[in-house]
Amino acid sequence: MIVTLIEANGSQRQIQLARERMRIGRSRDNEIFVPDPALSRFHAQLVADPEGWKVVDRGSKNGTFLNDRRLTRQSD
């Protein structure tokens, strides 16, 4: 699956979801690196399951939002 990441400055990039778990954050150790100071180093992750892909907050300081709704479930 390919997703489009739209950054705060309006730039866009295509990302191939090549693993069952893809971490997102401002640390270069993430599969999806986003150099935005509003993000935690390990902010969230995309997780594949039988129903499709899920976005999971990883305990980020500023929270994770999907379609303007704050996610409440945190990963292990």
Side-chain angles (χ1 to χ4, degrees):
M1 171 179 243
I2 297 175
V3 297
T4 302
L5 174 66
I6 303 171
E7 297 187 33
N9 66 7
S11 67
Q12 297 183 20
R13 61 183 156 129
Q14 301 289 312
I15 298 170
Q16 174 73 41
L17 301 182
R19 297 181 176 181
E20 291 183 13
R21 290 182 183 263
M22 301 280 292
R23 296 174 301 167
I24 304 166
R26 62 181 166 82
S27 170
R28 290 193 181 272
D29 291 332
N30 291 294
E31 288 80 22
I32 303 172
F33 167 63
V34 183
D36 184 330
L39 293 182
S40 298
R41 287 179 297 130
F42 300 98
H43 193 90
Q45 63 185 351
L46 299 174
V47 179
D49 75 10
E51 297 175 19
W53 287 88
K54 308 270 188 221
V55 180
V56 180
D57 183 69
R58 297 189 71 211
S60 61
K61 180 180 175 184
N62 293 327
T64 300
F65 292 80
L66 178 63
N67 298 329
D68 295 323
R69 295 178 65 194
R70 186 177 184 138
L71 303 179
T72 56
R73 186 176 133 212
Q74 295 184 2
S75 68
D76 304 341

Coordinates of all heavy atoms in Angstrom, one line a residue:
M1 N 0.8 -1.2 0.0 CA 0.0 0.0 0.0 C 0.9 1.2 0.0 O 1.9 1.3 0.7 CB -0.9 0.0 1.2 CG -1.7 1.3 1.4 SD -2.8 1.3 2.8 CE -4.3 1.4 2.0
I2 N 0.4 2.3 -0.7 CA 1.1 3.5 -0.7 C 0.3 4.6 -0.1 O -0.9 4.7 -0.4 CB 1.5 3.9 -2.2 CG1 2.5 2.9 -2.8 CG2 2.1 5.3 -2.2 CD1 2.8 3.1 -4.2
V3 N 0.8 5.4 0.8 CA 0.1 6.5 1.4 C 0.8 7.8 1.0 O 2.0 7.8 0.7 CB 0.0 6.4 2.9 CG1 -0.8 5.2 3.3 CG2 1.4 6.4 3.6
T4 N 0.1 8.9 1.1 CA 0.7 10.2 0.9 C 0.8 11.0 2.2 O -0.2 11.1 2.9 CB -0.2 11.1 -0.1 OG1 -0.4 10.3 -1.3 CG2 0.4 12.4 -0.4
L5 N 2.0 11.4 2.5 CA 2.3 12.2 3.7 C 2.3 13.7 3.3 O 3.0 14.1 2.4 CB 3.6 11.8 4.3 CG 4.1 12.7 5.5 CD1 3.2 12.5 6.7 CD2 5.5 12.4 5.8
I6 N 1.4 14.5 3.9 CA 1.3 15.9 3.6 C 1.9 16.6 4.9 O 1.3 16.5 5.9 CB -0.1 16.4 3.3 CG1 -0.6 15.6 2.1 CG2 -0.1 17.9 3.0 CD1 -2.1 15.8 1.8
E7 N 3.0 17.2 4.7 CA 3.6 17.9 5.9 C 3.0 19.3 6.1 O 2.3 19.8 5.3 CB 5.1 18.0 5.7 CG 5.7 16.5 5.6 CD 7.2 16.5 5.6 OE1 7.9 17.4 6.2 OE2 7.8 15.6 4.9
A8 N 3.3 19.9 7.3 CA 2.8 21.2 7.6 C 3.1 22.3 6.6 O 2.3 23.2 6.4 CB 3.3 21.6 9.0
N9 N 4.2 22.2 6.0 CA 4.6 23.2 5.0 C 4.0 22.9 3.6 O 4.2 23.7 2.7 CB 6.1 23.2 4.8 CG 6.7 22.0 4.3 OD1 6.0 21.1 3.8 ND2 8.0 21.9 4.2
G10 N 3.1 21.9 3.5 CA 2.4 21.6 2.3 C 3.1 20.6 1.3 O 2.5 20.2 0.4
S11 N 4.4 20.3 1.6 CA 5.1 19.3 0.8 C 4.4 18.0 1.0 O 3.9 17.6 2.0 CB 6.5 19.3 1.1 OG 6.8 18.8 2.4
Q12 N 4.5 17.2 -0.1 CA 3.9 15.9 -0.1 C 4.9 14.8 -0.6 O 5.8 15.1 -1.3 CB 2.7 15.8 -1.1 CG 1.6 16.7 -0.7 CD 0.4 16.5 -1.7 OE1 0.3 15.5 -2.4 NE2 -0.5 17.5 -1.7
R13 N 4.8 13.6 0.0 CA 5.6 12.5 -0.5 C 4.9 11.2 -0.4 O 4.0 11.1 0.5 CB 7.0 12.5 0.2 CG 6.9 12.3 1.7 CD 8.3 12.3 2.3 NE 8.2 12.7 3.7 CZ 8.8 12.0 4.7 NH1 9.5 10.9 4.4 NH2 8.7 12.4 5.9
Q14 N 5.2 10.3 -1.3 CA 4.5 9.0 -1.3 C 5.4 8.0 -0.4 O 6.6 8.1 -0.6 CB 4.5 8.5 -2.7 CG 3.7 9.4 -3.7 CD 2.2 9.4 -3.4 OE1 1.6 8.3 -3.2 NE2 1.6 10.5 -3.3
I15 N 4.7 7.2 0.4 CA 5.4 6.3 1.2 C 4.8 4.9 1.0 O 3.6 4.7 1.1 CB 5.3 6.7 2.7 CG1 6.0 8.0 2.9 CG2 5.9 5.6 3.6 CD1 5.7 8.6 4.2
Q16 N 5.7 3.9 0.7 CA 5.3 2.5 0.6 C 5.2 1.9 1.9 O 6.2 1.9 2.7 CB 6.3 1.8 -0.3 CG 6.0 0.3 -0.4 CD 4.9 0.0 -1.3 OE1 4.7 0.6 -2.3 NE2 4.1 -1.0 -0.9
L17 N 4.1 1.3 2.3 CA 4.0 0.6 3.6 C 4.4 -0.8 3.4 O 3.7 -1.6 2.9 CB 2.5 0.7 4.1 CG 2.0 2.1 4.3 CD1 0.5 2.0 4.9 CD2 2.9 2.9 5.2
A18 N 5.7 -1.0 3.7 CA 6.4 -2.3 3.3 C 6.5 -3.2 4.5 O 6.9 -4.4 4.3 CB 7.8 -2.0 2.8
R19 N 6.1 -2.8 5.7 CA 6.2 -3.7 6.9 C 4.8 -3.7 7.6 O 4.0 -2.8 7.3 CB 7.2 -3.2 7.9 CG 8.6 -3.1 7.3 CD 9.5 -2.6 8.4 NE 10.9 -2.7 8.0 CZ 11.9 -2.3 8.7 NH1 11.7 -1.8 9.9 NH2 13.1 -2.4 8.3
E20 N 4.6 -4.6 8.5 CA 3.4 -4.7 9.2 C 3.2 -3.6 10.2 O 2.2 -3.3 10.7 CB 3.2 -6.1 9.9 CG 3.0 -7.2 8.9 CD 2.8 -8.5 9.6 OE1 2.5 -8.5 10.8 OE2 2.8 -9.5 8.9
R21 N 4.4 -3.0 10.7 CA 4.4 -1.9 11.6 C 5.4 -0.9 11.0 O 6.5 -1.2 10.8 CB 4.9 -2.3 13.0 CG 3.9 -3.1 13.7 CD 4.4 -3.5 15.1 NE 3.5 -4.3 15.8 CZ 2.5 -3.9 16.7 NH1 2.5 -2.6 17.0 NH2 1.7 -4.7 17.2
M22 N 4.9 0.4 10.9 CA 5.8 1.5 10.4 C 5.7 2.6 11.4 O 4.6 3.2 11.6 CB 5.2 1.9 9.1 CG 5.2 0.9 8.0 SD 6.8 0.6 7.2 CE 7.0 2.1 6.3
R23 N 6.8 2.9 12.1 CA 6.9 3.9 13.1 C 7.0 5.3 12.4 O 7.7 5.4 11.4 CB 8.0 3.7 14.1 CG 7.9 2.4 14.9 CD 9.1 2.2 15.7 NE 10.3 2.1 14.8 CZ 11.5 2.1 15.1 NH1 11.8 2.2 16.4 NH2 12.5 2.0 14.2
I24 N 6.4 6.3 13.0 CA 6.4 7.7 12.5 C 6.9 8.6 13.6 O 6.5 8.5 14.8 CB 5.0 8.1 12.2 CG1 4.3 7.2 11.2 CG2 5.0 9.6 11.7 CD1 2.8 7.4 11.0
G25 N 7.8 9.5 13.3 CA 8.3 10.5 14.3 C 9.5 11.3 13.7 O 9.9 11.1 12.6
R26 N 10.0 12.2 14.6 CA 11.1 13.0 14.2 C 12.5 12.4 14.4 O 13.5 13.0 14.0 CB 11.0 14.4 14.8 CG 11.1 14.4 16.3 CD 10.9 15.9 16.8 NE 10.7 15.9 18.2 CZ 11.6 15.8 19.1 NH1 12.9 15.7 18.8 NH2 11.3 15.8 20.4
S27 N 12.5 11.2 14.9 CA 13.8 10.5 15.0 C 14.1 9.8 13.7 O 13.2 9.2 13.1 CB 13.8 9.4 16.1 OG 14.9 8.6 16.0
R28 N 15.3 9.8 13.2 CA 15.7 9.1 12.0 C 15.6 7.6 12.1 O 15.7 6.9 11.2 CB 17.0 9.5 11.5 CG 17.1 11.0 11.0 CD 18.3 11.3 10.3 NE 18.4 12.7 9.8 CZ 17.9 13.1 8.7 NH1 17.3 12.2 7.9 NH2 17.9 14.4 8.3
D29 N 15.4 7.1 13.4 CA 15.3 5.7 13.6 C 13.9 5.1 13.2 O 13.7 3.9 13.3 CB 15.6 5.3 15.1 CG 17.0 5.5 15.4 OD1 17.9 5.4 14.5 OD2 17.3 5.8 16.6
N30 N 13.0 6.0 12.9 CA 11.6 5.6 12.4 C 11.6 5.2 11.0 O 12.5 5.7 10.2 CB 10.6 6.8 12.6 CG 10.4 7.1 14.1 OD1 9.8 6.2 14.8 ND2 10.8 8.2 14.5
E31 N 10.7 4.3 10.6 CA 10.6 4.0 9.2 C 10.0 5.2 8.4 O 10.4 5.3 7.2 CB 9.6 2.8 9.0 CG 10.2 1.5 9.5 CD 10.1 1.3 11.0 OE1 9.3 1.9 11.7 OE2 10.9 0.4 11.5
I32 N 9.2 6.0 9.1 CA 8.7 7.3 8.4 C 9.2 8.4 9.2 O 8.7 8.7 10.3 CB 7.2 7.3 8.3 CG1 6.7 6.0 7.6 CG2 6.7 8.5 7.7 CD1 5.2 5.8 7.6
F33 N 10.3 9.1 8.7 CA 10.9 10.2 9.4 C 10.2 11.5 9.0 O 10.0 11.8 7.8 CB 12.4 10.3 9.0 CG 13.1 11.5 9.4 CD1 13.2 11.9 10.7 CD2 13.6 12.4 8.4 CE1 13.9 13.1 11.1 CE2 14.3 13.5 8.7 CZ 14.4 13.9 10.1
V34 N 9.7 12.3 10.0 CA 9.1 13.6 9.7 C 9.8 14.6 10.6 O 9.6 14.6 11.8 CB 7.6 13.5 10.0 CG1 6.9 14.8 9.7 CG2 6.9 12.4 9.3
P35 N 10.6 15.5 10.0 CA 11.3 16.5 10.8 C 10.5 17.7 11.3 O 10.7 18.8 10.8 CB 12.5 16.9 9.9 CG 11.8 16.8 8.5 CD 10.9 15.6 8.6
D36 N 9.5 17.4 12.1 CA 8.6 18.4 12.6 C 8.7 18.5 14.1 O 8.5 17.5 14.8 CB 7.2 18.1 12.2 CG 6.1 19.1 12.5 OD1 6.3 19.8 13.5 OD2 5.1 19.2 11.8
P37 N 9.0 19.7 14.7 CA 9.2 19.8 16.1 C 7.9 19.5 16.9 O 8.0 19.2 18.1 CB 9.7 21.2 16.4 CG 9.4 21.9 15.1 CD 9.3 20.9 14.0
A38 N 6.8 19.5 16.3 CA 5.5 19.2 17.0 C 5.3 17.7 17.2 O 4.5 17.3 18.0 CB 4.3 19.7 16.2
L39 N 6.2 16.9 16.5 CA 6.1 15.4 16.7 C 7.1 15.0 17.8 O 8.1 15.5 17.9 CB 6.4 14.7 15.4 CG 5.5 14.9 14.2 CD1 5.9 14.0 13.1 CD2 4.1 14.5 14.6
S40 N 6.7 13.9 18.5 CA 7.6 13.2 19.4 C 8.7 12.5 18.5 O 8.4 12.2 17.3 CB 6.9 12.3 20.3 OG 5.9 12.9 21.1
R41 N 9.8 12.1 19.2 CA 10.8 11.3 18.4 C 10.2 10.0 17.9 O 10.5 9.6 16.8 CB 12.0 11.0 19.3 CG 12.8 12.2 19.6 CD 14.0 11.9 20.5 NE 13.5 11.5 21.8 CZ 13.9 10.5 22.5 NH1 14.8 9.7 22.0 NH2 13.4 10.2 23.7
F42 N 9.4 9.3 18.7 CA 8.6 8.1 18.3 C 7.2 8.4 18.5 O 6.6 8.0 19.6 CB 9.2 6.9 19.0 CG 10.6 6.6 18.8 CD1 11.6 7.1 19.7 CD2 11.0 6.0 17.6 CE1 12.9 6.9 19.4 CE2 12.4 5.8 17.4 CZ 13.3 6.2 18.3
H43 N 6.5 9.0 17.6 CA 5.2 9.6 17.8 C 4.0 8.6 17.7 O 3.2 8.5 18.6 CB 5.0 10.8 16.8 CG 3.9 11.6 17.1 ND1 4.0 12.8 17.9 CD2 2.6 11.6 16.7 CE1 2.8 13.3 18.0 NE2 1.9 12.6 17.3
A44 N 4.0 7.9 16.6 CA 2.9 7.0 16.3 C 3.4 5.9 15.4 O 4.5 5.8 15.1 CB 1.7 7.8 15.6
Q45 N 2.5 5.0 15.1 CA 2.8 3.9 14.2 C 1.6 3.5 13.4 O 0.5 3.7 13.8 CB 3.5 2.7 14.8 CG 2.7 2.0 15.8 CD 3.5 0.9 16.5 OE1 4.6 0.6 16.1 NE2 2.9 0.3 17.5
L46 N 1.9 3.0 12.2 CA 0.8 2.4 11.3 C 1.0 0.9 11.5 O 2.1 0.4 11.4 CB 1.1 2.8 9.9 CG 1.0 4.3 9.6 CD1 1.4 4.5 8.1 CD2 -0.4 4.8 9.9
V47 N -0.1 0.2 11.8 CA -0.1 -1.2 12.0 C -1.1 -1.9 11.1 O -2.3 -1.5 11.1 CB -0.5 -1.5 13.5 CG1 -0.5 -2.9 13.8 CG2 0.4 -0.7 14.5
A48 N -0.6 -2.9 10.4 CA -1.5 -3.7 9.6 C -2.2 -4.7 10.4 O -1.6 -5.4 11.3 CB -0.7 -4.4 8.5
D49 N -3.5 -4.9 10.2 CA -4.2 -6.0 10.8 C -5.2 -6.5 9.7 O -5.3 -6.0 8.7 CB -4.9 -5.6 12.1 CG -6.1 -4.7 12.0 OD1 -6.6 -4.5 10.9 OD2 -6.6 -4.2 13.0
P50 N -6.0 -7.6 10.1 CA -6.9 -8.2 9.1 C -7.9 -7.2 8.5 O -8.4 -7.4 7.4 CB -7.6 -9.3 9.8 CG -6.6 -9.7 10.9 CD -5.9 -8.4 11.3
E51 N -8.3 -6.2 9.3 CA -9.3 -5.2 8.8 C -8.7 -4.1 8.0 O -9.4 -3.3 7.5 CB -10.0 -4.6 10.0 CG -10.8 -5.7 10.8 CD -11.4 -5.1 12.1 OE1 -11.6 -3.9 12.2 OE2 -11.7 -5.9 12.9
G52 N -7.4 -4.0 8.0 CA -6.7 -2.9 7.2 C -5.7 -2.2 8.1 O -5.2 -2.9 9.0
W53 N -5.3 -1.0 7.8 CA -4.3 -0.3 8.5 C -4.9 0.5 9.7 O -5.9 1.1 9.5 CB -3.5 0.6 7.6 CG -2.6 -0.2 6.7 CD1 -2.9 -0.7 5.5 CD2 -1.2 -0.5 7.0 NE1 -1.8 -1.4 5.0 CE2 -0.8 -1.3 5.9 CE3 -0.3 -0.3 8.0 CZ2 0.5 -1.8 5.8 CZ3 0.9 -0.8 8.0 CH2 1.4 -1.6 6.9
K54 N -4.2 0.6 10.8 CA -4.6 1.4 12.0 C -3.5 2.3 12.3 O -2.3 2.0 12.1 CB -4.8 0.5 13.2 CG -5.7 -0.7 13.0 CD -7.1 -0.4 13.2 CE -7.9 -1.6 13.2 NZ -9.2 -1.5 12.6
V55 N -3.8 3.5 12.8 CA -2.9 4.5 13.3 C -2.9 4.4 14.8 O -4.0 4.4 15.5 CB -3.2 5.9 12.9 CG1 -2.2 6.9 13.5 CG2 -3.3 6.0 11.4
V56 N -1.8 4.2 15.5 CA -1.7 4.0 16.9 C -0.7 5.0 17.5 O 0.4 5.2 17.1 CB -1.1 2.6 17.3 CG1 -1.1 2.4 18.8 CG2 -2.0 1.5 16.6
D57 N -1.2 5.8 18.5 CA -0.4 6.7 19.2 C 0.6 6.0 20.1 O 0.3 4.9 20.6 CB -1.3 7.6 20.1 CG -0.5 8.7 20.8 OD1 0.0 9.6 20.2 OD2 -0.3 8.6 22.1
R58 N 1.8 6.5 20.2 CA 2.9 5.8 21.0 C 3.2 6.6 22.3 O 4.3 6.6 22.7 CB 4.1 5.6 20.2 CG 3.9 4.7 19.0 CD 5.1 4.3 18.3 NE 5.9 3.4 19.1 CZ 7.2 3.3 19.1 NH1 7.9 4.0 18.3 NH2 7.8 2.5 19.9
G59 N 2.1 7.3 22.8 CA 2.3 8.0 24.0 C 2.9 9.4 23.8 O 3.6 10.0 24.6
S60 N 2.7 10.0 22.6 CA 3.2 11.3 22.2 C 2.7 12.4 23.1 O 1.6 12.4 23.6 CB 2.9 11.6 20.8 OG 1.5 11.6 20.6
K61 N 3.6 13.3 23.4 CA 3.3 14.5 24.2 C 2.1 15.3 23.7 O 1.2 15.7 24.5 CB 4.5 15.4 24.4 CG 4.3 16.6 25.3 CD 5.6 17.4 25.3 CE 5.3 18.7 26.1 NZ 6.5 19.5 26.1
N62 N 2.1 15.6 22.4 CA 1.0 16.4 21.8 C -0.2 15.6 21.3 O -1.1 16.2 20.8 CB 1.6 17.2 20.7 CG 2.6 18.3 21.2 OD1 2.5 18.8 22.2 ND2 3.6 18.5 20.4
G63 N -0.1 14.3 21.4 CA -1.2 13.5 21.0 C -1.1 13.3 19.5 O -0.4 13.9 18.8
T64 N -1.9 12.3 19.0 CA -2.0 12.0 17.6 C -3.4 12.1 17.2 O -4.4 11.7 17.8 CB -1.5 10.5 17.4 OG1 -0.2 10.4 17.8 CG2 -1.6 10.1 15.9
F65 N -3.6 12.8 16.0 CA -4.9 13.1 15.5 C -5.1 12.4 14.1 O -4.2 12.4 13.3 CB -5.2 14.6 15.4 CG -5.2 15.3 16.7 CD1 -4.1 15.6 17.4 CD2 -6.5 15.6 17.3 CE1 -4.2 16.2 18.6 CE2 -6.6 16.2 18.5 CZ -5.4 16.5 19.2
L66 N -6.3 11.9 13.9 CA -6.6 11.3 12.6 C -7.9 11.8 12.2 O -8.9 11.7 13.0 CB -6.7 9.7 12.7 CG -7.1 9.0 11.5 CD1 -6.0 9.2 10.3 CD2 -7.2 7.5 11.7
N67 N -8.0 12.5 11.1 CA -9.2 13.2 10.6 C -9.8 14.1 11.7 O -11.0 14.0 12.0 CB -10.3 12.1 10.2 CG -9.8 11.3 9.0 OD1 -9.0 11.8 8.2 ND2 -10.2 10.1 8.9
D68 N -9.0 14.9 12.3 CA -9.3 15.8 13.4 C -9.9 15.2 14.7 O -10.4 15.9 15.5 CB -10.4 16.8 12.9 CG -9.8 17.7 11.8 OD1 -8.6 18.1 11.8 OD2 -10.6 18.0 10.8
R69 N -9.7 13.9 14.9 CA -10.1 13.2 16.1 C -8.8 12.7 16.8 O -8.0 12.0 16.2 CB -11.0 12.1 15.8 CG -12.3 12.6 15.2 CD -13.3 11.5 14.9 NE -13.7 10.8 16.1 CZ -14.3 9.6 16.1 NH1 -14.5 9.0 15.0 NH2 -14.6 9.1 17.3
R70 N -8.7 13.0 18.1 CA -7.6 12.5 18.9 C -7.7 11.0 19.1 O -8.7 10.5 19.5 CB -7.5 13.3 20.2 CG -6.2 12.9 20.9 CD -6.0 13.7 22.2 NE -4.8 13.4 22.8 CZ -4.0 14.3 23.4 NH1 -4.3 15.5 23.4 NH2 -2.8 13.9 23.9
L71 N -6.6 10.3 18.9 CA -6.5 8.9 19.1 C -6.3 8.7 20.6 O -5.5 9.4 21.2 CB -5.4 8.2 18.3 CG -5.5 8.4 16.8 CD1 -4.3 7.7 16.2 CD2 -6.8 7.8 16.3
T72 N -6.9 7.7 21.2 CA -6.7 7.4 22.6 C -6.0 6.1 22.9 O -5.4 6.0 24.0 CB -8.1 7.3 23.3 OG1 -8.9 6.3 22.7 CG2 -8.8 8.7 23.2
R73 N -5.9 5.2 22.0 CA -5.3 3.9 22.2 C -3.8 4.1 22.0 O -3.3 4.7 21.1 CB -5.8 2.9 21.2 CG -5.3 1.5 21.4 CD -5.9 0.5 20.5 NE -4.9 -0.3 19.9 CZ -4.9 -0.8 18.7 NH1 -5.8 -0.6 17.9 NH2 -3.9 -1.5 18.3
Q74 N -3.0 3.6 23.0 CA -1.6 3.6 22.8 C -1.0 2.2 22.6 O -1.6 1.2 23.0 CB -0.9 4.2 24.1 CG -1.3 5.6 24.3 CD -0.6 6.2 25.6 OE1 0.2 5.5 26.2 NE2 -0.9 7.4 25.9
S75 N 0.2 2.2 21.9 CA 0.8 0.9 21.6 C 1.5 0.4 22.8 O 1.7 1.0 23.8 CB 1.8 1.1 20.5 OG 2.9 1.9 20.9
D76 N 1.9 -0.9 22.7 CA 2.6 -1.6 23.8 C 4.0 -1.0 24.0 O 4.7 -0.6 23.1 CB 2.8 -3.1 23.4 CG 1.5 -3.7 23.2 OD1 0.4 -3.2 23.6 OD2 1.5 -4.8 22.5

